[in-house]
């Protein structure tokens, strides 16, 4: 089959290892020695190789190597990983290939090796320009480490760099957040993801602050990114009695009004610096939107590899085994993929419509009626006419012809808006 006529597919590859788990993190991640890492990567390459033949009609347009912290691995493991992907799948010549990295782990010649392996996009998790705030989060790096990593990435030839930032850190002020934004803007990364802290159950932050605050639920975990380990123990490096010492006490959470001001400050400062907000929490220079993330929000099929990774293919969702011990024992040359994937959920037409709206409305351009008609054969207002009219009247949606998008206020309360698009089952 002509590779240009193949269907588009995205790959997410989960590397669960970290030097130390951050105090707010509920992703499926933990420490692992070199032997454990090597065994996992061997099995991961087996999974990729066993999966490839089932997707011969697809062309891989984006790859995202996430975690955890992929940059804790020996860089040669990344080279072997990319070789396995290219053997098993048809990868587009212009594919966007991203690796996540912690500035505290980018030592030696890792960055040039990533580039030689074909990785062309780097996502650096700095979170804050304040060392005090980084310590509060349990990060292993200081801001100076990030500056060195960023400079080294440029020297290695990376021309597409994302920087992850976090607002709403306990004790953070509007002034310190402005300082972080200004320092990052000066570096001119191509992309900035600015998320508000989410306090999750089962984390040190959740144990102290509580969780379930709906105003914090604005980020939305990226599809394909595993969360909440099912079998691995939580792996924060210090015990509960020591956490307050790490934090220097427990600073108060940012109040709702300040949190909202931080969100709007982010938009205004980044717009002034030439960054377009194209999704609730994502900003990019012109033409440099994250293609992988846009694919999630616009319904492109994706395949997840590694423990806990999620997939969406041919209208079905499935999730990999999350227990690393069970994962390592699977014989992927036999029926191991069936055991790996477990139960497969076929989305109903109702669920597909709901997700189409939830995900599409995250984008600032909103949801196109033409795309809805192409997907479902009916106009959007045939299904959601009353809901759309009500939300437009409340000032939460704006309407251009039959197309809709969130207003600024709608973005502030996006989860409440999304809930309006649930259909009666």
């Amino acid at each position: 089959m002509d590779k240009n006529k193949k269907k588009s597919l995205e790959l997410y590859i989960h590397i669960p290892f970290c030097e130390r788990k951050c105090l707010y993190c509920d992703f499926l991640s933990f420490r692992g020695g070199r032997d454990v890492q090597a065994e996992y990567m061997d099995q991961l390459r087996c999974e990729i190789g066993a999966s490839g033949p089932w997707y011969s009609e697809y062309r891989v347009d984006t790859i995202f190597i996430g975690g955890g912290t992929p940059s804790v691995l020996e860089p040669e493991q990344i080279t072997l990983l990319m070789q396995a992907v290219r053997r098993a799948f048809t990868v587009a010549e212009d594919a966007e290939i991203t690796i996540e990295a912690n500035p505290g782990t980018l030592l030696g010649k890792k960055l040039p090796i990533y580039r030689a392996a074909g990785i062309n996009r780097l996502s650096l998790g700095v979170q804050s320009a304040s060392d005090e705030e980084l310590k509060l989060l349990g990060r292993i790096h200081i801001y100076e480490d990030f500056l060195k990593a960023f400079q080294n990435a440029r020297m290695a030839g990376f021309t597409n760099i994302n920087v992850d930032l976090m607002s709403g850190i306990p004790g953070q002020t509007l002034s310190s957040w402005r300082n972080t934004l200004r320092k990052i803007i000066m570096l001119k990364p191509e992309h900035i993801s600015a998320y508000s802290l989410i306090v999750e159950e089962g984390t040190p932050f959740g144990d102290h602050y509580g969780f379930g605050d709906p105003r914090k639920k604005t980020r939305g975990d990226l599809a394909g990114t595993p969360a909440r380990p099912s079998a691995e123990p939580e792996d924060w490096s210090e015990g509960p009695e020591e956490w307050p010492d790490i934090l220097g006490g427990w600073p108060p959470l940012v109040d709702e009004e300040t949190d909202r001001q931080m969100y709007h400050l982010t938009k205004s400062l980044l717009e002034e610096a030439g960054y377009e907000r194209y999704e609730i929490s994502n900003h990019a220079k012109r033409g440099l939107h994250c293609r992988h993330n846009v694919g999630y929000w616009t319904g492109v099929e994706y395949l997840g590899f590694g423990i806990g990774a999620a997939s969406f293919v041919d209208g079905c969702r499935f999730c990999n085994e999350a227990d690393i011990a069970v994962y390592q024992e699977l014989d992927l040359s036999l029926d191991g993929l069936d055991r790996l994937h477990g139960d497969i959920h076929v989305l109903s037409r109702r669920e597909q419509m709901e997700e189409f709206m939830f995900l599409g409305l995250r984008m600032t351009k909103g949801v196109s009626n033409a795309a809805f008609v192409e997907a479902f054969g009916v106009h959007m207002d045939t299904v959601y006419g009353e809901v759309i009219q009500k939300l437009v009247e409340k000032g939460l949606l704006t309407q251009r012809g039959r197309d809709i998008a969130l207003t600024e206020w709608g973005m502030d309360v996006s989860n409440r808006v999304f809930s309006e698009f649930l259909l009666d089952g």
Side-chain angles (χ1 to χ4, degrees), residues 99-111:
I99 188 168
E100 287 187 326
N102 184 306
T105 61
L106 285 176
L107 306 174
K109 297 183 178 179
K110 289 183 178 181
L111 288 164

Side-chain angles (χ1 to χ4, degrees), residues 178-196:
R178 180 184 290 105
N179 184 56
T180 286
L181 289 171
R182 286 178 171 168
K183 284 186 174 182
I184 299 303
I185 287 170
M186 287 177 63
L187 296 173
K188 300 181 179 179
E190 285 68 36
H191 191 284
I192 297 174
S193 297
Y195 301 120
S196 177

Side-chain angles (χ1 to χ4, degrees), residues 21-25 31 202-204 234-238 243:
K21 199 173 177 77
C22 299
L23 301 181
Y24 58 88
C25 177
R31 286 176 294 177
T203 64
E234 309 294 14
D235 191 24
W236 293 278
S237 57
E238 288 80 16
W243 293 334

